[in-house]
Amino acid sequence: MRLGGRLQLSALLASSTFSTIASAFVVTTTGKAPVLSFTKLTRRRFLSQRNMSSSSSSSSNKPKVALLQFAVSSNKQENHQRASEYLKRASTSGCQLAVLPEIWNGPYATAAFEEYAEVLPCVGAEDSMDASPSAQLLQQHAIDYQMWIVGGSISEKVNDGTSTKLYNTCLVFDPKGKVVAKHRKVHLFDIDVPGGITFRESDTLSPGESLTVFDGGEDFGMVGIGICYDIRFPEYSQLLTQKYNCNLLIFPGAFNLTTGPAHWELLQRARAVDNQCYVLTASPARVVDDDGENESNNKRKYPHYTAWGHSTVVAPWGDVVATTDESESLVVTELDLTKVSSMRQSIPTFQQKRSDLYVLEEPSSSS
C-alpha cells in the first residue's frame, strides 16, 4: 500500500535512546560452508544477552525474521544467485519474513543506477513478472517459501511517455507472491561531509512522493517501509506509527564508513524508542576497495562504495536484540510483538502528545 503526502510539523520534541546489551542469532558465511550458531557479540558495550530468546525456545506467537546481509557485485546474475541462496537459508531457518539490503542487484553508484534499473510491477500485481528479473526472483521465492519478502531496493525505471525517471524502490511480496507494497525512497541521499564522503543520489534519481505501509497479517500487523536515508527523518516514521499503528518499521539501507559508525545504530534505536516499535535494517555486506579493479583484474566501471554492514533488529525499548558485523551474514531472530503494546501502555506517549503546541499530519490534499 502506498499513501500519498508530504509531512508537516510545527515542532518536534527531542528523543533519547537507552544504553543496552545485546546478542544475536547469526548465520555467517565462512568460505564455502555456512556456519550456524548462536553468537554472543562483544561490540563496544554489548557484552551479554538481554530480552532475547534463542531459536530453540521459539514459539508460534513470536514470528522469525531474517536480515540478508550479502556482498553485492557488478554482476547482476551473481547478485541474483546470492539473493536466492540467502532467501533459501532464511526459509530453512523457519523465518516468516526476510529483508534484503538496499540496491542489491548492482553497484551502489549514481552512474550505475540506469544500467541496472528495471521496470517494476505495481501494487496488486501477482502475474508473471518477466519484465523485471529481480522482481520475478523475489516473487518466485515468496511463493516457494511461503514467506513475506521485503525486497531491499533496486533502481526502478519509469517512462511516462515524455521522459524517463529513475527511483530507488523497494517491493514487498506476500507469501502468495503478490506485490503488497512499493516504496520509492522519499529522501534522497545527498550529502557532503568534509574529509568523509560526498554522494548525490539526486544526480540520477527522483524522490518518491508517498508513505508506504502494508498489512503483515496476524504475524506482524501493520508494517512501515523506508529506505536508508529515510530513517534520518523522524517525522516520516512518526506518521507511519501514529496514523497506521505500525508494529515494525523496516529500512533496507547502505550506510558508509563515515556515517555508519556514528549514526547507523543510533538512528535505529532512536526510531524504535520514538515510535515504540521494532526497527529492522538490512545492509549489504562490506566489500573492501580493490583500488579500482574488479574480480578479473579489469578496471572497475563504477566508483566503489563501501557499506557499513551491521544489519540490526532493535526492540521497542531501544535494545539491540540481533545484529552482526560487516561480513556476509544471515541475522535471524524472533520478534515478541507483545513488547510493542506493553511499551505503548506503560509509557503512553501516543496519548500524551500536546496537539495544542505541535501537530504532525499529512497535508489535507493527500489521498
Side-chain angles (χ1 to χ4, degrees):
M1 183 186 343
R2 300 177 62 213
L3 302 134
R6 297 167 296 169
L7 303 179
Q8 293 179 334
L9 184 67
S10 58
L12 280 175
L13 293 179
S15 62
S16 61
T17 56
F18 300 97
S19 296
T20 63
I21 47 179
S23 61
F25 178 55
V26 181
V27 186
T28 303
T29 301
T30 56
K32 295 183 179 180
V35 178
L36 177 64
S37 61
F38 185 78
T39 306
K40 184 182 294 182
L41 302 178
T42 56
R43 297 176 54 240
R44 293 178 291 166
R45 61 189 175 280
F46 300 135
L47 302 175
S48 62
Q49 181 182 3
R50 176 181 178 183
N51 292 334
M52 178 179 170
S53 301
S54 69
S55 60
S56 61
S57 61
S58 175
S59 58
S60 58
N61 63 341
K62 295 182 180 179
K64 272 189 180 181
V65 297
L67 310 177
L68 282 55
Q69 182 171 299
F70 55 86
V72 177
S73 73
S74 59
N75 187 313
K76 183 183 281 193
Q77 184 177 0
E78 289 181 358
N79 295 331
H80 282 185
Q81 292 173 348
R82 208 78 181 121
S84 294
E85 292 170 5
Y86 273 71
L87 286 166
K88 182 178 181 180
R89 291 166 59 186
S91 175
T92 301
S93 298
C95 295
Q96 287 79 50
L97 181 146
V99 186
L100 280 76
E102 182 182 22
I103 304 295
W104 61 269
N105 73 339
Y108 185 62
T110 55
F113 291 148
E114 183 172 8
E115 178 181 343
Y116 290 82
E118 301 178 14
V119 178
L120 299 183
C122 298
V123 173
E126 49 190 334
D127 296 330
S128 177
M129 299 180 183
D130 296 337
S132 173
S134 297
Q136 186 178 50
L137 179 148
L138 298 177
Q139 180 191 45
Q140 189 58 55
H141 287 313
I143 296 171
D144 290 345
Y145 302 137
Q146 292 291 288
M147 182 167 59
W148 295 90
I149 295 180
V150 178
S153 77
I154 65 174
S155 48
E156 177 191 15
K157 183 184 300 183
V158 178
N159 191 323
D160 62 7
T162 59
S163 63
T164 298
K165 289 185 176 181
L166 299 176
Y167 298 93
N168 186 340
T169 302
C170 174
L171 294 176
V172 180
F173 293 84
D174 71 9
K176 295 182 179 180
K178 181 179 179 179
V179 179
V180 294
K182 181 177 183 177
H183 180 69
R184 291 170 175 164
K185 191 174 187 178
V186 174
H187 306 92
L188 297 183
F189 181 52
D190 287 3
I191 69 167
D192 184 5
V193 180
I197 182 173
T198 298
F199 202 97
R200 290 186 58 83
E201 280 189 323
S202 63
D203 286 346
T204 52
L205 298 179
S206 296
E209 300 292 339
S210 303
L211 307 173
T212 305
V213 299
F214 70 93
D215 188 344
E218 187 175 337
D219 282 339
F220 300 103
M222 298 302 292
V223 181
I225 300 292
I227 297 174
C228 199
Y229 203 54
D230 288 338
I231 200 173
R232 286 190 178 271
F233 300 85
E235 304 93 329
Y236 180 81
S237 295
Q238 288 172 13
L239 190 54
L240 288 176
T241 51
Q242 291 179 30
K243 186 167 184 177
Y244 305 106
N245 200 34
C246 292
N247 293 323
L248 282 66
L249 297 178
I250 300 178
F251 295 90
F255 273 40
N256 52 75
L257 299 190
T258 299
T259 61
H263 300 150
W264 174 249
E265 181 185 300
L266 174 67
L267 286 165
Q268 295 171 59
R269 297 175 67 204
R271 296 295 82 82
V273 173
D274 285 347
N275 300 285
Q276 302 178 317
C277 68
Y278 278 93
V279 172
L280 282 61
T281 59
S283 168
R286 189 179 308 172
V287 177
V288 178
D289 192 358
D290 50 15
D291 297 323
E293 296 183 349
N294 62 21
E295 297 84 354
S296 302
N297 295 321
N298 297 317
K299 288 297 180 183
R300 189 170 47 237
K301 186 176 181 180
Y302 299 112
H304 179 77
Y305 183 92
T306 305
W308 173 239
H310 297 81
S311 300
T312 299
V313 176
V314 180
W317 191 256
D319 47 321
V320 176
V321 294
T323 191
T324 186
D325 56 17
E326 73 280 0
S327 59
E328 289 195 306
S329 307
L330 183 74
V331 181
V332 175
T333 192
E334 296 175 344
L335 303 184
D336 182 357
L337 295 181
T338 62
K339 291 184 177 181
V340 175
S341 56
S342 175
M343 179 75 168
R344 291 175 179 176
Q345 290 171 9
S346 59
I347 306 178
T349 56
F350 284 18
Q351 287 75 47
Q352 296 169 332
K353 304 290 185 182
R354 288 291 304 275
S355 58
D356 57 324
L357 298 179
Y358 52 84
V359 178
L360 177 65
E361 61 182 7
E362 291 179 284
S364 58
S365 59
S366 298
S367 57

